[in-house]
Amino acid sequence: MSISSPATREPILPWHRAAWQQLQAALRQRRLPHALLFCGIRGLGKRHLAEQFSQALLCTSPGPEGLACGECRSCHLVLAGSHPDRVVLGPDPAGKSEEIRVDVIRELIEDSSLTAHAGGYRVTLIDPADHMNLSAANSLLKTLEEPVADTLLILITAQPMRLPATLRSRCQHLLLHPPDEGSAVPWLQQQGLGVAEALLVLRLAGGAPLAGLALAQGEHLSQREDAFKGFLGARSRSADLVRIAEAWAKLDAGLLLSWLASWLHDLAVLQVGDGEARLTNPDKGAQLSPLSREIHPTELQRILGLVLRLLRLKDTSANWQMALEALLIDWAVAGQH
Ligand SMILES: [Zn+2]
């Protein structure tokens, strides 16, 4: 499902409703700020909301909820990605660096000194805003000190603290929260997921529905399943630890370690008797439960410490497979005294 750029006519996502109403009220009362900072964890659809709102601002006949009509000339231009009063900035897809550089911001500033081409609003989206380097951010700050009427800048970021405090303080913040499971699971079901799978991917994605949906659609779950077999299998006497390490070494290191950390964390949750309701991996409760009784909590913490250490070493390790083998050897005998 492509839910972000280019702007679409999709309905407002249920967990965006309050934010949408807040934006619409500000627009009606003519107190829309010059700069908005959309923040919240990855996978909540911050970009989608920014796209929808910017299209609505430019639309010449918005509908009852303030949504863009999708049919006027302005909407056609937005949908084609060629509206002169709507600019989307991000890292150069062809560039080596993920940085948003100062020349891109300077170009934007020179361009925005002109008034809107169509006589209405002029909107700029910067996503992810935390990818601006310091000189780009400083350059942008200057424009916010002398804002032009009817211009709106939307900065989008999952990591607002990476932006200079001076820039953050010039923006009105709009923080998106993950919806509760009671409303996110039915939404995922509407996208075609079963209830158990919906709950699982939602937990794995830290509560972010779009990130959860992406997990369900990719190879993530099958890779996680294989890695989990190795995690359990390593505890049996006949385990071939070298083969498990070999398979693990082929996986994305950050992903593998985040799974390992979450399984170990769930073992600790089961040890303190919180039950399966609070597990990050609700599908693994039945298999983790007996294991949680086998391993001493101190040992569990020690292994978790080793996983976190590997997380710091993953990009510099000379022999990753051997590092994983060493972890597996520790894990295989953990708690067996
Ligand atoms: Zn329209």
Side-chain angles (χ1 to χ4, degrees):
M1 177 162 135
S2 91
I3 202 149
S4 64
S5 173
T8 63
R9 289 184 61 198
E10 289 175 57
I12 299 152
L13 292 167
W15 60 94
H16 286 173
R17 197 154 285 281
W20 181 262
Q21 282 161 357
Q22 192 185 327
L23 290 168
Q24 287 298 327
L27 181 61
R28 273 197 311 274
Q29 296 157 14
R30 299 198 60 79
R31 49 174 184 79
L32 203 60
H34 291 290
L36 282 164
L37 180 65
F38 282 18
C39 34
I41 60 170
R42 278 174 66 90
L44 289 177
K46 300 182 290 298
R47 172 67 173 266
H48 182 67
L49 180 64
E51 299 270 9
Q52 272 184 315
F53 187 61
S54 64
Q55 187 184 352
L57 267 186
L58 298 170
C59 174
T60 49
S61 51
E65 284 190 294
L67 273 167
C69 73
E71 279 152 23
C72 68
R73 187 170 173 273
S74 183
C75 279
H76 279 295
L77 287 171
V78 169
L79 291 167
S82 55
H83 198 298
D85 293 325
R86 182 174 171 281
V87 181
V88 181
L89 295 180
D92 178 3
K96 281 186 192 148
S97 152
E98 292 272 280
E99 244 178 28
I100 301 175
R101 289 155 38 136
V102 67
D103 44 334
V104 177
I105 302 297
R106 283 206 189 111
E107 210 173 295
L108 168 78
I109 295 164
E110 276 166 28
D111 200 28
S112 9
S113 54
L114 310 164
T115 46
H117 298 267
Y121 259 94
R122 208 184 145 77
V123 197
T124 304
L125 272 56
I126 303 184
D127 181 26
D130 53 278
H131 282 220
M132 279 187 288
N133 65 24
L134 191 60
S135 43
N138 282 334
S139 186
L140 189 65
L141 183 63
K142 282 190 202 126
T143 70
L144 292 181
E145 283 161 358
E146 295 162 19
V148 181
D150 291 342
T151 56
L152 175 66
L153 177 69
I154 304 181
L155 302 180
I156 302 165
T157 177
Q159 318 231 34
M161 296 313 275
R162 287 198 182 166
L163 290 170
T166 42
L167 184 56
R168 268 185 279 131
S169 68
R170 291 272 170 182
C171 302
Q172 187 172 315
H173 295 210
L174 195 142
L175 174 61
L176 292 177
H177 299 280
D180 56 38
E181 286 179 352
S183 61
V185 168
W187 183 82
L188 285 165
Q189 286 179 275
Q190 284 166 20
Q191 313 310 313
L193 270 56
V195 63
E197 189 186 16
L199 182 65
L200 171 63
V201 293
L202 192 64
R203 296 254 177 110
L204 292 177
L210 296 178
L213 188 60
L215 293 183
Q217 289 168 340
E219 287 184 340
H220 186 98
L221 290 182
S222 64
Q223 288 183 347
R224 170 179 168 274
E225 208 56 49
D226 291 342
F228 187 71
K229 279 185 196 137
F231 178 75
L232 282 189
R235 301 282 303 169
S236 84
R237 272 174 205 281
S238 57
D240 184 345
L241 300 182
V242 176
R243 263 191 58 197
I244 298 172
E246 197 182 6
W248 280 10
K250 289 180 188 143
L251 297 166
D252 175 89
L255 210 52
L256 170 73
L257 295 172
S258 73
W259 291 331
L260 292 174
S262 80
W263 297 328
L264 293 165
H265 180 260
D266 277 353
L267 285 172
V269 169
L270 290 165
Q271 283 182 339
V272 297
D274 268 9
E276 293 185 20
R278 302 241 329 252
L279 297 182
T280 307
N281 303 276
D283 59 330
K284 302 291 178 232
Q287 286 154 295
L288 291 174
S289 212
L291 198 54
S292 72
R293 292 188 289 273
E294 223 175 79
I295 305 170
H296 194 272
T298 323
E299 280 284 271
L300 203 54
Q301 287 308 313
R302 190 175 67 81
I303 303 292
L304 186 59
L306 294 175
V307 170
L308 298 178
R309 188 171 158 269
L310 284 186
L311 201 57
R312 289 191 298 274
L313 296 177
K314 70 181 168 59
D315 297 324
T316 52
S317 171
N319 193 332
W320 183 239
Q321 189 176 324
M322 207 178 275
L324 291 174
E325 270 176 45
L327 173 71
L328 278 162
I329 291 167
D330 264 307
W331 168 238
V333 298
Q336 296 179 351
H337 294 297

